[in-house]
Amino acid sequence: NTEYIGKAALAGCSSLSSITIPFVGDQISPSYNPFGYIFGTAQYNDSYLVSQPRYNLATQIYEELNYYIPSTLRSVTITKSLGSFRAFKDCRMEKVTIGENVTTLGMETFKNCSSVTTITYDTTYEFAGSITAFNDMNATDVTFVIGHLVETLQAGLLNNINTKQVIFNSNPADGSPPKMREIANDAFSGCNITAVILPEGIISIGENAFKNCSNLQSITIPSTVSLIGANAFRGCLQLRSITIPYGVTSIYDRTFAGCEAITAVTIPE
């Protein structure tokens, strides 16, 4: 198991298109260095400049340093830890994979990563660190892929992502449904999604789960759902119809309040 990656270890790797690393910076814990640390501070062909924070132990403050990242780098996979503050600030990768063993997400990890189009979230840890990890990413139309081993999402984790599409992956080995059993409170609140198909196996939709998803037009609720929390779809201005499956026993306060475009609702006996 890799425990240490030296400064500028990948400097000048100007053809690099993808990278899989266990952690950001020089070591897994404590990590005081950002992603750019392993690429170095010297400019090289086909690279671009980023300014990322490094924690100075002597002064105990973060200081911005300049690093150069290969322009060809499009895909980044982290397998254990994303614990560094603003670790990928200003990076231009398009695909990010957060592995199933990742236990920590740093604050504002992906700040200004405006080129990101796909985030694959595979971590099996319920609370994988800061809910601000995706704050100020400034990317548009992000596809958020939820791995089949993920059982729940940290409340509020996606509130600040311009998520257009959410995909729940089934088990690639046998096609069985994902392990997720609940849509957490505030899970997708304020997201830019237009349609969601919730997988079989989900038993509850939490409070505010899709609140103020103003572009949401359709939602498929599986037969396994038994509870829909308060304000779950409140303020979904473009939601046009809703069918509640027979398994639902409780629909809480203001669940569909303010859904002014709804023309048809079916609630079972």
Side-chain angles (χ1 to χ4, degrees), residues 22 35 45 48 75 109 115 124-125 128 164 168 174 178 181 184 201 203 229:
F35 181 60
N45 290 335
Y48 64 91
S75 176
T109 303
S115 296
T124 55
Y125 288 83
K164 185 174 183 179
F168 294 85
D174 58 14
R181 294 296 175 260
I203 60 174

Side-chain angles (χ1 to χ4, degrees), residues 146 153 158-159 166 168 180 182-199 202 204-216 218-221 228-237 239 242 255-257 259:
I146 301 172
L153 290 176
L158 303 184
N159 288 177
V166 176
F168 294 85
M180 185 172 288
E182 64 176 3
I183 303 299
N185 296 347
D186 301 291
F188 299 102
S189 177
C191 287
N192 197 35
I193 45 180
T194 57
V196 175
I197 300 176
L198 298 179
I202 299 290
S204 66
I205 300 173
E207 296 179 6
N208 308 312
F210 295 93
K211 182 181 178 181
N212 294 332
C213 290
S214 58
N215 291 314
L216 183 64
S218 66
I219 178 82
T220 300
I221 301 175
I228 303 177
N231 302 303
F233 297 97
R234 185 175 184 175
C236 293
L237 301 179
L239 190 62
I242 189 75
T255 300
F256 299 101
C259 295

Side-chain angles (χ1 to χ4, degrees), residues 17 32 94 123 127 226 240 242:
S17 62
Y32 300 121
E94 297 171 358
T123 179
F127 297 105
S226 62
R240 301 187 183 282
I242 189 75

Side-chain angles (χ1 to χ4, degrees), residues 54-91:
R54 178 184 183 276
Y55 188 71
N56 188 317
L57 282 173
T59 61
Q60 296 187 355
I61 61 172
Y62 283 96
E63 54 188 14
E64 294 278 333
L65 295 179
N66 291 335
Y67 301 96
Y68 286 88
I69 311 293
S71 299
T72 52
L73 185 61
R74 294 291 179 264
S75 176
V76 175
T77 298
I78 308 296
T79 59
K80 286 187 177 180
S81 175
L82 277 164
S84 180
F85 172 59
R86 295 182 177 175
F88 290 94
K89 180 175 173 281
D90 298 333
C91 285

Side-chain angles (χ1 to χ4, degrees), residues 102-105 121 123-131 150-157 182 184-185:
V102 170
T103 58
T104 56
L105 296 175
Y121 189 86
T123 179
T124 55
Y125 288 83
E126 182 175 350
F127 297 105
S130 173
I131 63 171
V150 178
E151 296 185 4
T152 188
L153 290 176
Q154 184 177 358
L157 183 66
E182 64 176 3
N185 296 347

Side-chain angles (χ1 to χ4, degrees), residues 17 48 71-76 91-97 113-120 137 139 141-143:
S17 62
Y48 64 91
S71 299
T72 52
L73 185 61
R74 294 291 179 264
S75 176
V76 175
C91 285
R92 301 176 187 173
M93 67 277 187
E94 297 171 358
K95 297 181 180 180
V96 174
T97 299
C113 293
S114 58
S115 296
V116 170
T117 59
T118 304
I119 298 171
T120 300
M137 190 163 63
D141 297 340
V142 176
T143 297

